[in-house]
Amino acid sequence: MSQPSFLNRQGLHLRPDPARVIVRPFKPATEPRDLNPTDKMRANHIVERVLALNSEAVAAQLADVLDNFEGRHRNLLERFEARADDMEDAFATHGAFSKTQRQLIGAYFLSEYSFEASALFNPSIVPHPDQSGAPEGGKRFIISLRAIGEGHVSSLTFRTGTIAADGSLTVDPTARLASLPRISHRASGPDGDRVELTFRPEEDLSERVIFPVTESQSNGIEDARFVQFSDGDRKTYYATYTAYSGRAIRSELIETSDFMSFRLTPLRGAAAHNKGMALFPRKIGGSYAMIARQDNENLYLVYSDDLSTWEGGQALLKPQFPWEFVQIGNCGSPIELDEGWLLLTHGVGPVRKYSIGAALLDKRDPSRVLARSSEPLLRPEPSEREGYVPNVVYTCGAMRHNDQIILPYAVSDTFSSFATIRISALMEAMRR
């Protein structure tokens, strides 16, 4: 079956680049577990070997490390020293390190990680908080993407771009370097750690990588669904994402106003014990509202008074058409139109083929489904069927611009592309 005439695939692709690397903590242990006594013994052996070198040898080894790696990362000596400080609790009692010894020791407990070597997919899109420089009638945007590297660990990375007045898209060149944030605050609670992360102003947005920093996220930060949330005149960017520990999943929340400082918080309640939650871009009837999938099959509407606790919910959409008989889920936050809330959905059909459809919800009462697409808006084309997970198109969030929906989407869990949809034609095509 051919694609709808109102959908236009863009010749624009975001592909994983194994040359983009971060430096992350390395321990002589099987990650991510803490150091046991044997691991600590191995760590101290490394320290002893460095301390056995004379000062000239230490300086020569450090110079060789810098010659190999300094152009690949910012503030490398500073990172070496900070890593040595982080490892201090594992070290046996020792005399004071010289500055050079501390830097070289820190280098032994770091490793490069190609964070998007395997995949760059499941994007979401929001307006950029800084619209200076946007073309007349156009808009700057931010794309968030799930990146996967060695060990299938997922992290969060970003791109910026521009929509022209005619709806054409450009994505800005990616920074050569990549950087991790500083953990500016960490607080433990019964539901897990709440952390605040801060990047440096000089680090380009495409340079910033949010890598797992808590136990619940240790194997991945997956499928962030960003939305620009309006509360009166105040605009905040939120994203729900799946935290994966290697054993369990749960939904957590990112909050930012500038994409430089981020707060990551666990969500509570029965509705947060699954993946795929998507926040409405404003309160409904005085309450926060989410679209969620609680049973791995249907979509639910859930309300909360405090943004942190999500219980109960009512069934909203169930599989109805053959292309979604296995299950349905949301494809990001609902988009507010004059006609109602446009909810993009994904459906799983025969041979686990993922396609993207849509539903229209009542603006005042989103539990009322006004219309629904009986056929997919977007399905894997023959050229898009091959990849890490074949036969999948997927998105974590689209955005309205004038009379179009700007839809970034992932292809077979490998790379990302874009499509645009004419809103008026979509409204006419949906089944009421």
Side-chain angles (χ1 to χ4, degrees), residues 264-380:
L264 281 63
T265 308
L267 295 178
R268 301 186 296 269
H273 292 166
N274 209 317
K275 58 169 63 178
M277 301 184 75
L279 182 68
F280 278 73
R282 62 174 174 82
K283 290 183 177 179
I284 307 295
S287 297
Y288 297 99
M290 287 259 203
I291 301 295
R293 195 181 73 204
Q294 298 181 21
D295 56 10
N296 294 316
E297 186 177 4
N298 308 302
L299 280 175
Y300 290 75
L301 176 64
V302 191
Y303 289 100
S304 173
D305 293 328
D306 64 6
L307 193 57
S308 297
T309 305
W310 299 88
E311 303 280 4
Q314 64 182 108
L316 179 67
L317 292 168
K318 299 181 179 181
Q320 181 177 347
F321 304 109
W323 58 274
E324 59 185 12
F325 275 178
V326 175
Q327 69 182 45
I328 58 172
N330 73 68
C331 278
S333 295
I335 300 168
E336 188 165 10
L337 306 177
D338 292 340
E339 296 85 351
W341 294 106
L342 177 65
L343 176 65
L344 296 177
T345 63
H346 72 259
V348 183
V351 200
R352 202 185 60 158
K353 182 179 180 180
Y354 276 69
S355 301
I356 296 174
L360 185 67
L361 311 179
D362 185 83
K363 192 174 292 191
R364 292 186 179 181
D365 179 10
S367 67
R368 293 183 58 228
V369 179
L370 304 180
R372 194 165 174 178
S373 58
S374 58
E375 295 291 341
L377 310 180
L378 189 72
R379 66 182 79 211

Side-chain angles (χ1 to χ4, degrees), residues 64 73 153:
D64 183 65
H73 307 280
V153 178

Side-chain angles (χ1 to χ4, degrees), residues 31-102:
E31 300 285 354
R33 67 172 168 81
D34 292 332
L35 297 178
N36 62 29
T38 300
D39 302 327
K40 290 183 179 180
M41 181 176 65
R42 292 183 60 199
N44 280 285
H45 287 167
I46 295 170
V47 174
E48 291 165 4
R49 291 162 187 151
V50 172
L51 296 181
L53 300 173
N54 61 40
S55 59
E56 291 79 10
V58 170
Q61 288 298 315
L62 183 61
D64 183 65
V65 172
L66 292 177
D67 185 57
N68 275 275
F69 295 102
E70 191 169 30
R72 295 165 64 84
H73 307 280
R74 292 183 186 269
N75 310 305
L76 203 51
L77 286 175
E78 179 184 319
R79 291 176 182 270
F80 289 169
E81 291 192 57
R83 183 58 182 147
D85 291 343
D86 291 341
M87 289 293 296
E88 192 64 50
D89 288 344
F91 296 159
T93 303
H94 58 80
F97 296 147
S98 70
K99 190 177 185 68
T100 309
Q101 286 173 330
R102 179 171 295 278

Side-chain angles (χ1 to χ4, degrees), residues 87-88 95 97 117 188 218 238 272 325 382 384 406:
M87 289 293 296
E88 192 64 50
F97 296 147
S188 297
S218 55
Y238 291 110
F325 275 178
E384 297 176 334
I406 311 301

